[in-house]
Coordinates of all heavy atoms in Angstrom, one line a residue:
M1 N 0.8 -1.2 0.0 CA 0.0 0.0 0.0 C 0.9 1.2 0.0 O 1.7 1.4 0.9 CB -0.9 0.0 1.2 CG -1.8 1.2 1.4 SD -2.8 0.9 2.9 CE -4.2 1.9 2.4
A2 N 0.7 2.1 -1.0 CA 1.5 3.3 -1.1 C 0.9 4.4 -0.3 O -0.3 4.6 -0.2 CB 1.6 3.7 -2.6
H3 N 1.8 5.1 0.4 CA 1.4 6.2 1.2 C 1.7 7.5 0.4 O 2.7 7.7 -0.1 CB 2.1 6.3 2.5 CG 1.8 5.1 3.5 ND1 0.7 5.0 4.1 CD2 2.6 4.1 3.8 CE1 0.7 3.9 4.9 NE2 1.8 3.3 4.7
S4 N 0.7 8.3 0.4 CA 0.9 9.6 -0.3 C 1.4 10.6 0.7 O 1.0 10.6 1.9 CB -0.4 10.1 -0.9 OG -1.4 10.4 0.1
T5 N 2.3 11.4 0.3 CA 2.9 12.4 1.2 C 2.0 13.7 1.2 O 1.4 14.0 0.1 CB 4.3 12.8 0.7 OG1 4.2 13.3 -0.6 CG2 5.3 11.7 0.8
P6 N 1.8 14.3 2.3 CA 1.0 15.5 2.4 C 1.6 16.6 1.6 O 2.9 16.6 1.4 CB 0.9 15.8 3.8 CG 2.1 15.1 4.5 CD 2.4 14.0 3.6
P7 N 0.8 17.5 1.1 CA 1.4 18.6 0.3 C 2.3 19.5 1.2 O 2.1 19.6 2.4 CB 0.2 19.4 -0.2 CG -0.9 19.0 0.7 CD -0.6 17.6 1.2
R8 N 3.4 20.0 0.6 CA 4.3 20.8 1.4 C 3.9 22.3 1.4 O 3.2 22.7 0.5 CB 5.7 20.7 0.8 CG 6.2 19.2 0.9 CD 7.6 19.1 0.3 NE 8.5 20.0 1.0 CZ 9.8 20.1 0.7 NH1 10.3 19.4 -0.3 NH2 10.6 21.0 1.3
Y9 N 4.4 23.0 2.4 CA 4.1 24.4 2.4 C 5.0 25.1 1.4 O 6.1 24.7 1.1 CB 4.5 25.0 3.8 CG 3.6 24.7 4.9 CD1 3.8 23.6 5.8 CD2 2.4 25.5 5.1 CE1 3.0 23.4 6.8 CE2 1.6 25.2 6.2 CZ 1.8 24.2 7.0 OH 1.0 23.9 8.1
S10 N 4.5 26.2 0.8 CA 5.4 27.0 -0.1 C 6.3 27.8 0.8 O 6.0 28.0 2.0 CB 4.5 27.9 -0.9 OG 3.9 28.9 -0.1
A11 N 7.3 28.4 0.3 CA 8.2 29.3 1.1 C 7.4 30.4 1.7 O 7.6 30.8 2.8 CB 9.3 29.8 0.2
A12 N 6.5 31.0 0.9 CA 5.7 32.2 1.4 C 4.8 31.7 2.6 O 4.7 32.5 3.5 CB 4.9 32.7 0.3
E13 N 4.3 30.5 2.5 CA 3.4 30.0 3.6 C 4.3 29.8 4.8 O 3.8 30.1 5.9 CB 2.7 28.8 3.2 CG 1.6 29.0 2.1 CD 1.1 27.7 1.5 OE1 1.9 26.7 1.4 OE2 -0.1 27.7 1.2
L14 N 5.5 29.2 4.6 CA 6.4 29.0 5.8 C 6.7 30.3 6.5 O 6.7 30.4 7.7 CB 7.6 28.3 5.4 CG 7.5 26.8 5.1 CD1 8.8 26.3 4.5 CD2 7.2 26.0 6.3
I15 N 7.1 31.3 5.7 CA 7.4 32.6 6.2 C 6.3 33.2 7.0 O 6.5 33.7 8.1 CB 7.9 33.5 5.1 CG1 9.2 33.0 4.5 CG2 8.0 35.0 5.5 CD1 9.6 33.6 3.1
E16 N 5.1 33.1 6.4 CA 3.9 33.7 7.1 C 3.7 32.9 8.4 O 3.4 33.6 9.4 CB 2.7 33.6 6.2 CG 1.4 34.1 6.8 CD 0.2 34.0 5.8 OE1 0.4 33.8 4.6 OE2 -0.9 34.2 6.3
E17 N 3.7 31.6 8.4 CA 3.5 30.8 9.6 C 4.5 31.1 10.7 O 4.2 31.3 11.9 CB 3.5 29.3 9.3 CG 2.3 28.9 8.5 CD 1.0 28.9 9.2 OE1 1.0 28.7 10.5 OE2 0.0 29.1 8.6
L18 N 5.8 31.3 10.3 CA 6.8 31.6 11.2 C 6.7 32.9 11.9 O 6.8 33.1 13.1 CB 8.2 31.4 10.6 CG 8.7 30.0 10.3 CD1 9.9 30.0 9.3 CD2 9.0 29.3 11.6
R19 N 6.3 33.9 11.0 CA 6.1 35.3 11.6 C 4.9 35.3 12.5 O 4.9 36.0 13.5 CB 6.0 36.3 10.4 CG 7.4 36.5 9.8 CD 7.4 37.6 8.8 NE 8.8 37.9 8.4 CZ 9.2 38.3 7.2 NH1 8.3 38.5 6.3 NH2 10.4 38.5 7.0
E20 N 3.8 34.6 12.2 CA 2.7 34.6 13.0 C 3.1 33.9 14.4 O 2.7 34.4 15.4 CB 1.5 33.8 12.4 CG 0.8 34.6 11.3 CD -0.3 33.8 10.6 OE1 -0.6 32.7 11.1 OE2 -0.8 34.2 9.6
A21 N 3.8 32.9 14.3 CA 4.3 32.2 15.6 C 5.1 33.2 16.4 O 5.0 33.2 17.6 CB 5.0 30.9 15.2
A22 N 6.0 33.9 15.7 CA 6.8 34.9 16.5 C 6.0 35.9 17.1 O 6.2 36.3 18.3 CB 7.8 35.5 15.5
E23 N 5.0 36.5 16.4 CA 4.1 37.5 17.0 C 3.3 36.9 18.2 O 3.0 37.7 19.2 CB 3.2 38.0 16.0 CG 3.9 38.9 15.0 CD 3.0 39.5 13.9 OE1 1.7 39.5 14.1 OE2 3.5 39.9 12.9
E24 N 3.0 35.7 18.2 CA 2.2 35.1 19.2 C 3.0 34.9 20.5 O 2.5 35.1 21.6 CB 1.7 33.7 18.8 CG 0.5 33.7 17.8 CD 0.1 32.4 17.4 OE1 0.5 31.3 18.0 OE2 -0.7 32.3 16.4
I25 N 4.3 34.6 20.4 CA 5.1 34.4 21.6 C 5.7 35.7 22.2 O 6.1 35.7 23.3 CB 6.2 33.3 21.4 CG1 7.2 33.8 20.4 CG2 5.6 32.0 21.1 CD1 8.4 32.9 20.3
V26 N 5.8 36.8 21.4 CA 6.4 38.0 21.8 C 5.9 38.6 23.1 O 6.7 39.0 24.0 CB 6.4 39.0 20.7 CG1 6.6 40.4 21.2 CG2 7.5 38.7 19.7
P27 N 4.6 38.6 23.4 CA 4.1 39.1 24.6 C 4.7 38.5 25.9 O 4.8 39.1 26.9 CB 2.6 38.9 24.6 CG 2.3 38.8 23.1 CD 3.5 38.2 22.5
E28 N 5.2 37.2 25.8 CA 5.7 36.5 26.9 C 7.2 36.7 27.0 O 7.8 36.2 28.0 CB 5.5 35.0 26.7 CG 4.0 34.7 26.6 CD 3.8 33.2 26.1 OE1 4.7 32.4 26.2 OE2 2.7 32.9 25.7
L29 N 7.9 37.4 26.1 CA 9.3 37.5 26.1 C 9.9 38.8 26.6 O 11.1 39.1 26.4 CB 9.8 37.2 24.6 CG 9.5 35.9 24.1 CD1 10.0 35.7 22.7 CD2 10.0 34.8 25.0
N30 N 9.1 39.6 27.2 CA 9.6 40.8 27.9 C 10.6 41.7 27.1 O 11.8 41.7 27.4 CB 10.2 40.4 29.3 CG 10.3 41.6 30.2 OD1 9.6 42.6 30.0 ND2 11.1 41.5 31.2
G31 N 10.1 42.3 26.1 CA 11.0 43.3 25.4 C 11.7 42.8 24.1 O 12.3 43.5 23.4
I32 N 11.6 41.5 23.9 CA 12.2 41.0 22.7 C 11.2 41.2 21.5 O 10.0 40.9 21.6 CB 12.5 39.5 22.8 CG1 13.6 39.3 23.9 CG2 13.0 38.9 21.5 CD1 14.0 37.9 24.2
R33 N 11.7 41.7 20.4 CA 10.9 41.9 19.2 C 10.7 40.7 18.5 O 11.5 39.7 18.5 CB 11.5 43.0 18.4 CG 11.8 44.3 19.1 CD 12.5 45.3 18.2 NE 13.5 44.7 17.4 CZ 14.5 45.3 16.8 NH1 14.7 46.5 17.0 NH2 15.4 44.6 16.1
A34 N 9.6 40.6 17.7 CA 9.2 39.4 16.9 C 10.3 39.0 16.0 O 10.6 37.8 15.9 CB 7.9 39.7 16.2
E35 N 11.0 40.0 15.4 CA 12.0 39.6 14.4 C 13.3 39.0 15.1 O 14.1 38.4 14.4 CB 12.4 40.8 13.5 CG 12.9 42.0 14.2 CD 11.9 43.0 14.6 OE1 10.7 42.6 14.7 OE2 12.2 44.1 14.9
E36 N 13.4 39.2 16.4 CA 14.6 38.7 17.1 C 14.4 37.3 17.7 O 15.3 36.7 18.2 CB 14.9 39.6 18.3 CG 15.3 41.0 17.9 CD 15.4 42.0 19.1 OE1 14.7 41.8 20.1 OE2 16.2 42.9 19.0
T37 N 13.2 36.7 17.5 CA 12.9 35.4 18.0 C 13.5 34.4 16.9 O 13.8 34.8 15.8 CB 11.4 35.1 18.1 OG1 10.8 35.2 16.8 CG2 10.8 36.1 19.1
L38 N 13.6 33.2 17.3 CA 14.1 32.1 16.4 C 13.2 32.0 15.2 O 13.6 32.0 14.1 CB 14.1 30.8 17.2 CG 14.6 29.6 16.3 CD1 16.0 29.7 15.9 CD2 14.4 28.3 17.1
E39 N 11.8 32.1 15.4 CA 10.9 32.0 14.3 C 11.0 33.2 13.4 O 11.0 33.1 12.2 CB 9.5 32.0 14.9 CG 9.1 30.7 15.6 CD 9.5 30.7 17.1 OE1 10.2 31.6 17.6 OE2 9.2 29.8 17.8
G40 N 11.2 34.4 14.0 CA 11.4 35.6 13.2 C 12.6 35.6 12.3 O 12.6 36.0 11.2
E41 N 13.7 35.2 12.9 CA 15.0 35.1 12.2 C 14.9 34.0 11.1 O 15.4 34.2 10.0 CB 16.2 34.8 13.1 CG 16.6 36.0 13.9 CD 18.0 35.9 14.5 OE1 18.9 35.5 13.7 OE2 18.2 36.3 15.6
A42 N 14.3 32.9 11.4 CA 14.1 31.8 10.4 C 13.3 32.3 9.2 O 13.6 32.0 8.1 CB 13.5 30.6 11.1
A43 N 12.2 33.1 9.5 CA 11.4 33.6 8.4 C 12.2 34.5 7.5 O 12.2 34.4 6.3 CB 10.2 34.4 9.0
Q44 N 13.0 35.4 8.1 CA 13.8 36.3 7.3 C 14.9 35.5 6.5 O 15.1 35.8 5.3 CB 14.5 37.4 8.2 CG 15.3 38.3 7.3 CD 15.7 39.6 8.0 OE1 15.0 40.1 8.9 NE2 16.9 40.1 7.7
M45 N 15.5 34.5 7.1 CA 16.5 33.8 6.4 C 15.9 33.0 5.2 O 16.5 33.0 4.1 CB 17.2 32.8 7.3 CG 18.3 32.0 6.6 SD 19.3 31.0 7.7 CE 20.5 32.2 8.2
I46 N 14.7 32.4 5.4 CA 14.1 31.8 4.3 C 13.8 32.8 3.2 O 14.0 32.5 2.0 CB 12.8 31.0 4.8 CG1 13.2 29.8 5.7 CG2 12.0 30.6 3.6 CD1 12.0 29.2 6.4
E47 N 13.3 33.9 3.6 CA 12.9 35.0 2.6 C 14.2 35.4 1.8 O 14.1 35.5 0.6 CB 12.3 36.2 3.4 CG 11.7 37.2 2.5 CD 11.0 38.2 3.4 OE1 11.6 38.8 4.3 OE2 9.8 38.5 3.1
E48 N 15.3 35.6 2.5 CA 16.5 36.0 1.8 C 17.0 34.9 0.9 O 17.5 35.2 -0.2 CB 17.6 36.4 2.9 CG 17.3 37.7 3.6 CD 18.1 37.9 4.8 OE1 19.0 37.1 5.2 OE2 18.0 39.0 5.4
M49 N 16.9 33.7 1.3 CA 17.4 32.5 0.5 C 16.5 32.4 -0.7 O 17.0 32.1 -1.8 CB 17.5 31.3 1.3 CG 18.6 31.3 2.3 SD 18.7 29.7 3.2 CE 20.2 30.1 4.2
V50 N 15.2 32.5 -0.5 CA 14.3 32.5 -1.7 C 14.6 33.5 -2.7 O 14.7 33.3 -3.9 CB 12.8 32.5 -1.2 CG1 11.9 32.8 -2.4 CG2 12.4 31.2 -0.5
D51 N 14.8 34.8 -2.2 CA 15.2 35.9 -3.1 C 16.5 35.5 -3.9 O 16.5 35.8 -5.1 CB 15.3 37.2 -2.3 CG 15.7 38.3 -3.2 OD1 15.0 38.6 -4.1 OD2 16.8 38.9 -2.9
A52 N 17.5 35.0 -3.2 CA 18.7 34.7 -3.8 C 18.5 33.6 -4.9 O 19.1 33.7 -6.0 CB 19.8 34.3 -2.8
L53 N 17.8 32.6 -4.5 CA 17.5 31.5 -5.5 C 16.8 32.0 -6.7 O 17.0 31.6 -7.8 CB 16.8 30.4 -4.8 CG 17.6 29.5 -3.9 CD1 16.7 28.5 -3.1 CD2 18.7 28.7 -4.6
K54 N 15.8 32.9 -6.5 CA 15.0 33.4 -7.6 C 16.0 34.2 -8.6 O 15.9 34.1 -9.8 CB 13.9 34.3 -7.2 CG 12.7 33.5 -6.6 CD 11.6 34.5 -6.2 CE 10.4 33.7 -5.6 NZ 9.4 34.6 -5.1
R55 N 16.8 35.0 -8.0 CA 17.8 35.8 -8.8 C 18.7 34.9 -9.5 O 19.0 35.1 -10.7 CB 18.5 36.8 -7.9 CG 17.5 37.9 -7.3 CD 18.1 38.8 -6.3 NE 19.2 39.5 -6.8 CZ 20.1 40.2 -6.0 NH1 19.9 40.2 -4.7 NH2 21.1 40.9 -6.5
I56 N 19.2 33.9 -8.9 CA 20.1 32.9 -9.5 C 19.4 32.2 -10.6 O 19.9 32.1 -11.8 CB 20.7 31.9 -8.5 CG1 21.6 32.6 -7.5 CG2 21.4 30.8 -9.2 CD1 22.0 31.8 -6.3
A57 N 18.2 31.8 -10.4 CA 17.4 31.1 -11.4 C 17.1 32.0 -12.6 O 17.0 31.5 -13.7 CB 16.1 30.5 -10.8
G58 N 17.0 33.3 -12.3 CA 16.8 34.3 -13.4 C 18.0 34.7 -14.2 O 17.9 35.5 -15.0
G59 N 19.1 34.0 -13.8 CA 20.4 34.3 -14.6 C 21.2 35.5 -14.1 O 22.0 36.0 -14.8
A60 N 21.0 35.8 -12.8 CA 21.8 36.9 -12.3 C 23.3 36.6 -12.4 O 23.7 35.5 -12.2 CB 21.4 37.2 -10.8
P61 N 24.1 37.6 -12.6 CA 25.5 37.4 -12.7 C 26.1 37.1 -11.3 O 25.5 37.5 -10.3 CB 26.1 38.8 -13.2 CG 25.0 39.8 -12.9 CD 23.7 39.0 -12.9
R62 N 27.2 36.4 -11.2 CA 27.9 36.0 -10.0 C 27.0 35.3 -9.0 O 26.8 35.7 -7.9 CB 28.5 37.2 -9.4 CG 29.5 37.9 -10.4 CD 30.0 39.2 -9.9 NE 30.7 39.0 -8.6 CZ 31.9 39.4 -8.3 NH1 32.6 40.1 -9.2 NH2 32.4 39.1 -7.2
P63 N 26.4 34.2 -9.4 CA 25.4 33.4 -8.6 C 26.1 33.0 -7.3 O 25.4 32.9 -6.2 CB 25.0 32.3 -9.4 CG 26.0 32.1 -10.5 CD 26.5 33.5 -10.7
Q64 N 27.4 32.6 -7.3 CA 28.0 32.2 -6.1 C 28.1 33.3 -5.0 O 27.9 33.0 -3.8 CB 29.5 31.7 -6.4 CG 29.5 30.4 -7.2 CD 30.9 30.0 -7.6 OE1 31.7 30.9 -7.8 NE2 31.1 28.7 -7.7
D65 N 28.3 34.5 -5.5 CA 28.2 35.7 -4.5 C 26.9 35.8 -3.9 O 26.7 36.1 -2.7 CB 28.7 36.9 -5.2 CG 30.2 36.9 -5.6 OD1 30.9 36.1 -5.0 OD2 30.6 37.7 -6.4
L66 N 25.8 35.7 -4.7 CA 24.5 35.8 -4.2 C 24.2 34.8 -3.2 O 23.6 35.0 -2.1 CB 23.4 35.7 -5.3 CG 23.4 36.9 -6.3 CD1 22.4 36.5 -7.5 CD2 22.9 38.1 -5.6
A67 N 24.6 33.5 -3.5 CA 24.4 32.4 -2.5 C 25.2 32.7 -1.2 O 24.7 32.5 -0.1 CB 24.8 31.1 -3.2
R68 N 26.4 33.1 -1.4 CA 27.3 33.4 -0.2 C 26.7 34.4 0.7 O 26.6 34.2 1.9 CB 28.7 33.8 -0.7 CG 29.7 33.8 0.4 CD 31.1 34.1 -0.2 NE 31.6 33.1 -1.1 CZ 31.7 33.3 -2.4 NH1 31.5 34.4 -2.9 NH2 32.1 32.3 -3.2
V69 N 26.2 35.5 0.1 CA 25.6 36.6 0.9 C 24.3 36.0 1.7 O 24.1 36.3 2.9 CB 25.2 37.8 0.1 CG1 24.3 38.8 0.8 CG2 26.5 38.5 -0.4
A70 N 23.5 35.3 1.0 CA 22.3 34.7 1.6 C 22.7 33.8 2.8 O 22.0 33.8 3.8 CB 21.5 34.0 0.6
L71 N 23.7 33.0 2.6 CA 24.1 32.0 3.6 C 24.8 32.7 4.8 O 24.7 32.1 5.9 CB 25.0 30.9 3.0 CG 24.3 30.0 2.1 CD1 25.4 29.1 1.3 CD2 23.3 29.1 2.8
E72 N 25.4 33.8 4.6 CA 26.1 34.5 5.7 C 25.1 35.1 6.7 O 25.4 35.2 7.9 CB 27.0 35.6 5.1 CG 28.2 35.1 4.5 CD 29.0 36.2 3.8 OE1 28.5 37.4 3.7 OE2 30.1 35.9 3.3
A73 N 23.9 35.4 6.3 CA 22.9 36.0 7.1 C 23.4 37.1 8.0 O 23.3 37.2 9.2 CB 22.3 34.9 8.0
N74 N 24.0 38.1 7.3 CA 24.6 39.3 8.0 C 23.7 40.5 7.9 O 24.1 41.6 8.4 CB 26.0 39.6 7.5 CG 27.0 38.6 8.0 OD1 26.9 38.0 9.0 ND2 28.0 38.3 7.2
T75 N 22.6 40.4 7.1 CA 21.8 41.6 7.0 C 21.1 41.9 8.3 O 20.7 41.0 9.0 CB 20.8 41.5 5.8 OG1 20.0 40.4 6.1 CG2 21.5 41.3 4.5
P76 N 20.8 43.2 8.5 CA 20.0 43.5 9.7 C 18.6 42.9 9.7 O 18.0 42.7 8.6 CB 19.9 45.0 9.7 CG 20.9 45.5 8.7 CD 21.1 44.4 7.7
L77 N 18.1 42.6 10.9 CA 16.7 42.0 11.0 C 15.7 43.1 10.6 O 15.8 44.2 11.0 CB 16.5 41.5 12.4 CG 17.3 40.3 12.8 CD1 17.1 40.0 14.3 CD2 17.0 39.1 11.9
K78 N 14.8 42.7 9.8 CA 13.7 43.6 9.4 C 12.5 43.5 10.3 O 12.0 42.4 10.5 CB 13.2 43.3 7.9 CG 14.3 43.4 6.9 CD 13.8 43.0 5.6 CE 14.9 42.5 4.6 NZ 14.3 41.8 3.5
P79 N 12.0 44.6 10.8 CA 10.8 44.5 11.7 C 9.6 44.1 10.9 O 9.5 44.3 9.7 CB 10.7 45.9 12.2 CG 11.6 46.8 11.4 CD 12.5 45.9 10.7
F80 N 8.7 43.4 11.6 CA 7.4 43.0 11.0 C 6.4 43.0 12.1 O 6.7 43.1 13.3 CB 7.5 41.7 10.3 CG 7.8 40.5 11.1 CD1 6.8 39.8 11.8 CD2 9.2 40.1 11.4 CE1 7.1 38.7 12.6 CE2 9.5 39.0 12.2 CZ 8.5 38.3 12.8
G81 N 5.2 42.8 11.7 CA 4.1 42.8 12.7 C 3.6 44.1 13.1 O 3.8 45.1 12.5
R82 N 2.8 44.1 14.2 CA 2.2 45.3 14.7 C 3.2 46.1 15.4 O 4.0 45.6 16.2 CB 1.1 44.9 15.6 CG -0.1 44.2 14.9 CD -1.1 43.7 15.9 NE -0.7 42.7 16.8 CZ -0.6 41.4 16.5 NH1 -0.9 41.0 15.3 NH2 -0.2 40.5 17.4
P83 N 3.2 47.5 15.2 CA 4.1 48.3 16.0 C 3.7 48.3 17.4 O 2.5 48.3 17.7 CB 4.0 49.7 15.3 CG 2.9 49.6 14.4 CD 2.5 48.2 14.2
K84 N 4.7 48.4 18.3 CA 4.4 48.5 19.7 C 4.2 49.9 20.2 O 5.0 50.8 19.9 CB 5.5 47.8 20.5 CG 5.6 46.3 20.2 CD 6.7 45.7 21.0 CE 6.8 44.3 20.6 NZ 8.0 43.6 21.1
N85 N 3.3 50.1 21.1 CA 3.1 51.4 21.8 C 3.2 52.6 20.8 O 3.8 53.6 21.1 CB 4.1 51.6 22.9 CG 4.0 50.5 23.9 OD1 2.9 50.0 24.2 ND2 5.1 50.1 24.5
T86 N 2.6 52.5 19.7 CA 2.6 53.6 18.7 C 1.4 54.5 19.0 O 0.3 54.0 19.0 CB 2.6 53.1 17.3 OG1 3.7 52.3 17.1 CG2 2.6 54.2 16.3
V87 N 1.6 55.7 19.2 CA 0.5 56.7 19.5 C 0.6 57.7 18.4 O 1.6 58.3 18.1 CB 0.7 57.4 20.9 CG1 -0.4 58.4 21.1 CG2 0.7 56.4 22.0
V88 N -0.6 57.9 17.7 CA -0.7 58.8 16.7 C -1.7 59.9 17.1 O -2.8 59.5 17.4 CB -1.1 58.2 15.3 CG1 -1.3 59.2 14.3 CG2 -0.1 57.1 14.9
K89 N -1.3 61.1 17.1 CA -2.2 62.2 17.6 C -2.6 63.0 16.3 O -1.7 63.3 15.5 CB -1.6 63.1 18.6 CG -1.3 62.4 19.9 CD -0.8 63.3 21.0 CE -0.6 62.6 22.3 NZ -0.1 63.5 23.3
M90 N -3.8 63.3 16.2 CA -4.3 64.2 15.1 C -3.9 65.6 15.5 O -4.1 66.0 16.6 CB -5.8 64.0 15.0 CG -6.2 62.6 14.6 SD -5.8 62.2 12.9 CE -6.8 63.3 12.0
Q91 N -3.4 66.3 14.5 CA -3.1 67.7 14.7 C -4.4 68.5 14.6 O -5.2 68.3 13.7 CB -2.1 68.2 13.7 CG -0.8 67.5 13.7 CD 0.0 67.9 15.0 OE1 -0.1 69.1 15.4 NE2 0.7 67.0 15.6
K92 N -4.6 69.5 15.5 CA -5.7 70.3 15.4 C -5.4 71.4 14.4 O -4.4 72.0 14.4 CB -6.0 71.0 16.8 CG -6.5 70.0 17.8 CD -6.8 70.7 19.1 CE -7.3 69.6 20.1 NZ -7.6 70.2 21.4
P93 N -6.4 71.7 13.5 CA -6.1 72.7 12.5 C -6.1 74.1 13.2 O -6.8 74.4 14.1 CB -7.3 72.6 11.6 CG -8.4 71.8 12.3 CD -7.7 71.0 13.3
R94 N -5.2 74.9 12.7 CA -5.1 76.3 13.2 C -6.0 77.1 12.4 O -6.0 77.1 11.2 CB -3.7 76.8 13.1 CG -2.7 76.1 14.0 CD -1.4 76.7 13.9 NE -0.5 76.2 15.0 CZ 0.7 76.5 15.2 NH1 1.3 77.4 14.4 NH2 1.4 76.0 16.1
C95 N -6.7 77.9 13.1 CA -7.7 78.8 12.4 C -7.2 80.2 12.2 O -6.4 80.7 12.9 CB -9.0 78.8 13.1 SG -9.8 77.2 13.1

């Protein structure tokens, strides 16, 4: 009897799931931002690797350099999710 494998998540779905998981645990982490969690960093790394692979597949010059940069994971973490404690005040018009 052959077993069928369940469908795999796409990279975009994995990134979304990881970021949602990061946002869910942040309230318990006392000051750690979502992008600083393991899930948040994993999401960004997957995103960067997907971007590098797409560029390589598209014929970008120096594919080894693109791959090397993606694997080094030295880019700053990009914030995502809801901003914390953001207060926006409406300006009163001057008459």
Side-chain angles (χ1 to χ4, degrees):
M1 177 179 209
H3 293 287
S4 63
T5 57
R8 294 180 60 181
Y9 286 97
S10 69
E13 290 169 326
L14 283 173
I15 292 165
E16 182 180 344
E17 290 291 327
L18 286 166
R19 287 189 170 148
E20 285 178 10
E23 288 180 20
E24 287 177 11
I25 63 171
V26 160
E28 303 168 15
L29 298 178
N30 197 22
I32 294 177
R33 301 177 321 201
E35 61 269 18
E36 295 173 333
T37 64
L38 179 64
E39 294 84 352
E41 286 201 43
Q44 182 167 328
M45 180 171 274
I46 291 169
E47 190 172 56
E48 290 169 353
M49 290 184 178
V50 166
D51 179 58
L53 286 171
K54 284 180 180 178
R55 293 170 62 193
I56 291 167
R62 303 173 59 129
Q64 290 175 332
D65 290 342
L66 290 173
R68 191 174 297 111
V69 168
L71 290 170
E72 287 172 354
N74 285 332
T75 59
L77 293 171
K78 299 177 204 166
F80 64 88
R82 297 176 290 283
K84 295 178 184 173
N85 299 327
T86 302
V87 177
V88 177
K89 292 183 180 182
M90 298 290 290
Q91 296 290 325
K92 292 183 181 180
R94 292 185 172 179
C95 298

